[in-house]
Every structure is written in structure tokens, then in C-alpha cells.
Amino acid sequence: MDFRDKVAISTGAASGMGLLFAENFAALGGNVVMCDINETVLNEKVAAINEKGCGRAVGVLCDVRDYAQVCEARDRAVNEFGRIDVMANFAGGTAVRMCKVNREQHPEFPDVPIDVYDWGIDVNLKGPFYFAHAVLKQMREQKSGLIINIGSITGAEGDGYGMDYSTSKAGLMYGLTKSIAQFGSKYGIRCVCVSPGPVLTRAAMANMKTLLGRAADPQEIIDLCLFIASEKGQFIDGENIMIDGGRNVMKRER
């Protein structure tokens, strides 16, 4: 795959799959704008990519819940590189885990403070919505582009405690992805959602069952994203692609 002269924005890019996507995209010749709220780590990762001398990386401090900061990230990409070819929405996480909710103190869904769930919906759903609204202005002007949303098997399964995550991911997988694809088609813009099952970004993921008997290596998820963005993936549009080792077709225990 060759991404020379292509430009991507990746969120959650200081760690995890957002970082891995940025590293891969730059290694294949592309330029990448890396967005994250952890400025110190982000700057370190940007410098490491630039030291390799392939594609160029730029770091932008950005809270995806803040539309003004989202627009600043878009403008930085356009000012630095002149265009935006790929928008990859990796930033996210289950609020009850990210906000370190105490299960003993807040044992069930109605007991969890609503601001915890607000955080989850803002990051996991409104963040990608904000970025889509912002970058589609540029993509419409250049008459090309791709938005990659990151869903989750949880969006299909539901979660009786981390409801912000399952609700947000379902919204990405179906409502937002299909709607962007419908809007973007007349401008040469595509939108695809990649929905992983368990991925070894956290050790606990190894405990989730799949038909294949394992969790995914993060690179397997990124390889799919890169294929969709490449010349070989241009006919994929408006679809939610589950990459879950067969978890979604497993028989459920009654």
C-alpha cells in the first residue's frame, strides 16, 4: 500500500490503535495529524514517527468533546498539508472503566453518576460526529475523502452496565456511518465503520470468547483500516465491518 501525498487525521493517537494507525500510515508514506489530550506522550510519539523519515507527523492537542478544538485540528491538517484524505476516529473507551467507577459504590446502571455516562457518549459518539461535521467541509471542497469510524462488538451485544459505550458504538456502526455515506456519495466521500471484537490493547480482552479462540492482535484491526483506505478498498462504503473472530455469530448462553 502506498499513501504518499495522502493525509490522515487520527484521534486517540498517543496510544493504542490510534497510534498504531498513525505509525502505519506514515510508514507507508502518508502524512498524519495526530490528535490526543495527552500532550507529553503525543509529542514523544510524533517525534518518533518523524525520526523514521517516511511520512510526516504533526501533533495537535485535542479533546474530541470540544468542537472548537476539533475544528482547530482540521484547520491544522489543511494548513500543514493542504487536504484531508482519511479521518480515523479511534478515540474512545467505556466510561465506567475510563472514569474508574467503583462497582461496590455504584453497583448498577441507575447508580452510576450521569456525568460518567455523559463523558462516554461525548467521547465515543459526539467526538466522531464532531469530526465528521468538521472535516466534511474540507472533503466536500476537494471532492474526495474517507471517514473511518471504530465501532465495537459491544455495539451489537449491548452492555447492561457500560451503556454509554454500547449505545455510542451502535450509533456509529449504523446511524452515523450510513448517514455520512449517503451524504458524501455525491462528493466522492466514503464512510466505513470497523467494529472489532476483543483486541489485545488490554490484557483483559483475552478473556472474551470468540469462535477462533483468541483475541485480535491490534495490527489485524489496523490492516483492515489501511486496506479500506487504500486503492484496493475503494468500493467499500456505508458498511459496518465486524472483525471479531466470529464472536458475533456465537451461540449465546440462555
Side-chain angles (χ1 to χ4, degrees):
M1 300 180 190
D2 186 352
F3 292 111
R4 283 177 293 182
D5 300 322
K6 300 295 185 181
V7 180
I9 298 176
S10 180
T11 64
S15 62
M17 290 193 291
L19 171 60
L20 190 58
F21 176 83
E23 291 172 335
N24 278 254
F25 195 84
L28 293 166
N31 298 312
V32 60
V33 175
M34 300 168 63
C35 301
D36 205 279
I37 58 172
N38 190 331
E39 188 172 21
T40 300
V41 176
L42 178 63
N43 290 338
E44 293 173 357
K45 301 304 183 182
V46 168
I49 289 175
N50 287 330
E51 285 176 5
K52 296 180 179 179
C54 295
R56 188 159 69 92
V58 172
V60 177
L61 184 65
C62 179
D63 184 337
V64 301
R65 300 172 298 170
D66 187 325
Y67 185 69
Q69 292 186 33
V70 167
C71 290
E72 288 172 7
R74 173 204 60 200
D75 294 344
R76 182 72 183 277
V78 175
N79 291 337
E80 290 280 347
F81 302 116
R83 58 187 297 110
I84 301 168
D85 297 291
V86 182
M87 175 68 239
N89 288 303
F90 285 99
T94 306
V96 290
R97 177 175 61 85
M98 301 295 288
C99 299
K100 299 179 180 178
V101 172
N102 186 323
R103 290 290 293 257
E104 293 183 1
Q105 184 179 0
H106 307 293
E108 294 188 327
F109 168 69
D111 306 314
V112 176
I114 196 63
D115 60 334
V116 172
Y117 291 125
D118 279 341
W119 183 94
I121 292 171
D122 285 350
V123 170
N124 293 301
L125 182 56
K126 288 178 68 176
F129 195 101
Y130 281 178
F131 261 103
H133 187 267
V135 303
L136 281 169
K137 292 179 172 66
Q138 173 63 29
M139 291 180 174
R140 178 177 61 184
E141 183 177 322
Q142 67 195 33
K143 291 185 169 50
S144 65
L146 166 67
I147 294 177
I148 300 176
N149 291 323
I150 302 299
S152 170
I153 182 64
T154 308
E157 292 181 332
D159 186 327
Y161 191 65
M163 291 193 192
D164 62 291
Y165 194 71
S166 56
T167 300
S168 299
K169 291 302 185 181
L172 287 182
M173 292 156 66
Y174 307 109
L176 186 60
T177 294
K178 291 178 182 295
S179 298
I180 294 171
Q182 290 173 12
F183 163 78
S185 60
K186 59 182 174 290
Y187 299 110
I189 299 165
R190 296 182 296 130
C191 185
V192 180
C193 190
V194 172
S195 295
V199 185
L200 292 176
T201 48
R202 292 189 296 116
M205 291 285 197
N207 298 324
M208 290 180 66
K209 295 179 180 179
T210 69
L211 280 182
L212 298 184
R214 66 175 179 86
D217 185 283
Q219 187 64 49
E220 293 179 285
I221 311 304
I222 299 307
D223 285 344
L224 176 57
C225 294
L226 294 170
F227 177 83
I228 294 167
S230 75
E231 290 302 315
K232 296 185 177 186
Q234 294 297 304
F235 202 57
I236 304 172
D237 189 24
E239 193 56 73
N240 175 57
I241 302 175
M242 200 77 77
I243 176 169
D244 66 345
R247 181 178 171 88
N248 197 43
V249 299
M250 290 177 67
K251 291 183 179 180
R252 301 292 195 266
E253 295 182 1
R254 293 182 181 273

